Every structure is written in C-alpha cells, then in structure tokens.
Amino acid sequence: MDLMDSLKDGIGQELDWQIPLYEQFHRHPELGLAEHETSAAAADNLAGWGFDVRHFGGTGVVGVLANGAGPCVLARADMDALPVTEATGASYASAVPGVMHACGHDMHVVALLGAAKYLAGNREGWSGTYIALFQPAEETAAGSQAMLDDGLAAGIPRPDVALAQHVMPTQAGTIGTTPGPILSAGDSIRVTVHGRGAHGSMPHKAVDPVVLAASIVLRLQTVVSRETNPGEFAVLTVGAVNAGATANIIPDRAELLLNLRTYSMATRSQMIAAIERIVRGECAAAGSPQDPEFEYYDQYPLTSNDPEANARVTTAFTRTFGADAVYRTAPQTASEDFSRIPDSFGIPYVYWIVGSVPRDTYRRAVAAGTVDTDIPANHSPFFLPAVDSTLGMATRAQAAAALAFLGPAAG
C-alpha cells in the first residue's frame, strides 16, 4: 500500500476526534512549562496507539514508534499558550482568564497526534522509526533547551531528519516551504545605563539617564539604516524605555528593552557589536559614572531549512495536495526554538507554514490590500484558525512529510 497516495481519504476521518480535542485544548490553554493537561493528553493518546512514551523537560513528551529497519524521523509540535485575553467570541474560546492559544500551538498538537495515529494504524505501509515530540515553552525560547538539558539527545533514537510546522494567517488550504532561512534568529536585550540622580531643579548636579537613554534610542536607529548591508534583512526595535517615577526627580538609571531579528548569524553578531559600541559610547559621552549592563534573554536560533530535505518534503506536499496548494514562502520575521533540537543531533530539518484563513476571506483582503489590517496575526486576541480546513491540512502535511523519508514496508 502506498500511504502517500491514500493520505487524502485515509486521514479524513481523523477530524471526527481531532476537532473535539482541539476545542478542548483551545478552551483550556496552558502557559509554557505548565502544559500539564496538554502533555498528559498527548502521552495518553500516544501510549494507546503503541508508542513508547518518554518525558523530558518537565512537561515535554516524546512518543517513539519503532517499525522495522529504515530511517528515523522526528516530528515536533509546540504546546504552550500565551498571556493574551481572547476576543474571538468562539464557542470554544479560552476559559482561562488572561491566557489564550493565540499562536495555533493547540492546532500543532492535534495535527501531530493525528499524523501519529495514522502512521501507527498503517504500519504495513512504511518502515523505520517515527518520533512524535511535544515541546513545552516555545514562546519563551525555553522549552527545547529544557528537553535537551533533561537528556533528550541521549534518551531517544538518533533521528535522521526533523520536521515542524506552524499555522500562519495565510490562505487555508495552502502550504509554504522554502530552502534556507524561513524564520529569523531573535534576541531580546535588556540594557541598563547609569546616571547620577538629583533634584529636578538641579540638573547641573546630575548625569541624566533619561537624556542618555533618548540619545541611545536615536543612535540605535542607525544600526540598520547605516551599518547593515541594504540587501540584508535586519530589524532592531526598542520596545520599552523605563526611567524615573516622578516629575521633579532625575533618576540614577534607565532601562531599555531591545529586540533584534536577523536571517544571518554574521549580521546578528555585527548588530550586537554595534549596539554595545553605541551604548558604551553614549554613556562615555554623557559622563556616566558606571559601565552599562547588557542582559541577553529570550534568544531564538535561526531556523534555516536544509535545501535537500526541503525539496523532498516539498515534492511530497505537491504530490499530496497538488501544485496549486504549495508555494515558495518568503522568510518570516517571527522566531522559533525548534532548530535547537535537530542542531543538537547535527541533522537536517524542514520547517513549513500552513495557511489558516478561509480562502474567500483571505482573497478579499488581498484584493482590497487590507491583509495587514483585516486578518488577525499570530499573538492577536482575535487569532483563530479555520478549524476543519487548517487541521486537516496540517495533519496530512505532518504525515506526508514523514512518509517522504520513512522507507516503504519490506516485502
């Protein structure tokens, strides 16, 4: 039996149990490293389908299904929700105040479970080992590292390739792939600069960190505009400036929160060096009495698809969904921590995007030029994938990508 050819019909009935499970996860979202109910549901389902279930990184779950000789494929889904208050009005909207699945991770979990169940139920059609990995805390860039720190690399069979996907606010029924960078590297930086406090009426007795911070913000705008090659993608955002508490006191310090996105690790290093040089220079110019402090956190690695593996997966998608449904996507400016897992094994990986907006809705917005204003993006309180079309597509995509590598059954 050729499972690739039978994916459309053979996996269609999975929605009967997947949709209620998706609605359950959406209604009961859990923040990073607290995905206890989600993790338990994934583990219970995997065990019931014959997977060897293992736990890493607290709430992380891995199911291993050995099915004879052949390649080993790892497929990953993230599980965590966001501290967002849902405003979709859906009948299955979040019942947890201030917490919402605003990025589609509930969809990722159920799609991977659907592919896992399908492969477990059709073992006569493939050979090798399939690993379904459910990762916590992607939104804080902590989950993949937590699983690795807990022995993941030594605790599962070594994969030959790793797979992951993400629902995005693009047209439902479509899949975007690309060789090379598909998600940016991301870094958050907390910069603390020091001044000398004084009464607001006596600025000559102070080193004003508010003015210093303002100078730094303006100067940082030149890192991309004047120090980065115009053809190279780079984003540097100052998301917050915090200093002082009242009008008549010059404070003794200011804090700046920066966010950096790049598709090149060389560009990333260049920009970090420029940021530190500018901050130190402005502090020296202001007569700051103490060196600035830099704290790097929420750091995401670059997600860059292996060209050969991506071509293989793209061919499988084209065969499964048709050429009209598969397109080459531009790299996305969002970031992910998925690549830490395949990088720890030194193996290739493929990451792709799945559309989630009803076709007519999306096409009307494209025609009107209002996609950015009318289509809720990930992390919006209004983000809500079209369930049937998105979940079915994402489930089949996980199965098709795995079958692009898993060997045919012996005999």
Side-chain angles (χ1 to χ4, degrees):
M1 177 176 69
D2 190 327
L3 289 186
M4 193 77 77
D5 288 337
S6 66
L7 266 179
K8 182 174 183 180
D9 297 328
I11 215 165
Q13 72 274 15
E14 302 297 327
L15 289 175
D16 292 343
W17 63 268
Q18 283 182 296
I19 291 176
L21 183 60
Y22 165 75
E23 292 183 352
Q24 173 188 324
F25 287 154
H26 194 88
R27 191 176 289 113
H28 301 286
E30 298 172 300
L31 295 174
L33 300 178
E35 307 95 338
H36 302 292
E37 291 184 12
T38 308
S39 173
D44 289 347
N45 277 293
L46 291 170
W49 301 327
F51 282 77
D52 176 8
V53 177
R54 309 170 191 184
H55 300 267
F56 301 93
T59 49
V61 174
V62 178
V64 179
L65 186 65
N67 191 39
C72 182
V73 174
L74 182 151
R76 171 270 205 177
D78 39 12
M79 299 185 291
D80 54 326
L82 285 158
V84 172
T85 298
E86 183 159 1
T88 65
S91 61
Y92 51 90
S94 172
V96 181
V99 181
M100 175 195 175
H101 268 297
C103 204
H105 295 186
D106 45 354
M107 185 75 68
H108 301 168
V109 171
V110 180
L112 182 54
L113 285 172
K117 181 174 185 289
Y118 181 71
L119 292 171
N122 292 278
R123 298 183 211 191
E124 71 282 2
W126 61 276
S127 180
T129 299
Y130 184 65
I131 301 173
L133 184 150
F134 297 84
Q135 180 205 305
E138 181 278 327
E139 295 292 357
T140 58
S144 61
Q145 193 60 52
M147 295 185 77
L148 290 166
D149 290 345
D150 199 23
L152 175 69
I156 62 173
R158 185 181 186 277
D160 295 297
V161 67
L163 309 169
Q165 63 182 354
H166 207 298
V167 295
M168 296 291 279
T170 51
Q171 181 179 312
T174 64
I175 289 186
T177 68
T178 189
I182 188 168
L183 296 176
S184 69
D187 297 89
S188 290
I189 311 170
R190 178 178 287 105
V191 179
T192 302
V193 296
H194 299 273
R196 186 168 57 246
H199 196 288
S201 68
M202 305 173 187
H204 59 293
K205 295 182 179 292
V207 173
D208 193 335
V210 177
V211 175
L212 171 57
S215 297
I216 290 171
V217 170
L218 290 176
R219 184 69 181 178
L220 286 176
Q221 306 311 305
T222 67
V223 173
V224 173
S225 67
R226 290 296 179 269
E227 298 195 36
T228 304
N229 187 316
E232 185 71 37
F233 167 80
V235 173
L236 173 55
T237 297
V238 181
V241 179
N242 302 303
T246 190
N248 66 342
I249 300 174
I250 296 172
D252 66 353
R253 70 187 59 205
E255 179 186 84
L256 301 90
L257 301 182
L258 280 55
N259 190 256
L260 184 64
R261 306 283 169 152
T262 56
Y263 292 145
S264 160
M265 300 312 287
T267 301
R268 173 183 177 272
S269 297
Q270 174 190 343
M271 293 180 69
I272 287 174
I275 289 166
E276 294 200 6
R277 186 193 75 241
I278 287 170
V279 171
R280 294 183 192 281
E282 292 293 338
C283 286
S288 179
Q290 188 175 332
D291 288 341
E293 298 158 14
F294 301 89
E295 178 192 349
Y296 292 83
Y297 64 101
D298 285 357
Q299 291 184 283
Y300 291 87
L302 178 68
T303 305
S304 184
N305 286 332
D306 176 80
E308 182 178 345
N310 181 77
R312 199 163 174 174
V313 168
T314 302
T315 298
F317 288 161
T318 302
R319 179 178 170 185
T320 303
F321 304 113
D324 290 344
V326 183
Y327 66 97
R328 180 163 177 164
T329 183
Q332 307 293 304
T333 55
S335 302
E336 254 270 19
D337 69 342
F338 157 69
S339 64
R340 288 197 183 115
I341 294 172
D343 284 349
S344 71
F345 289 102
I347 60 172
Y349 60 84
V350 184
Y351 191 100
W352 63 90
I353 66 173
V354 179
S356 64
V357 182
R359 184 185 66 175
D360 291 346
T361 300
Y362 189 78
R363 290 185 174 180
R364 281 196 302 269
V366 170
T370 58
V371 171
D372 290 341
T373 56
D374 292 354
I375 304 297
N378 304 69
H379 292 212
S380 162
F382 296 97
F383 182 77
L384 190 70
V387 179
D388 292 32
S389 54
T390 309
L391 185 52
M393 194 81 168
T395 301
R396 292 164 63 202
Q398 279 284 19
L403 290 170
F405 297 95
L406 292 170

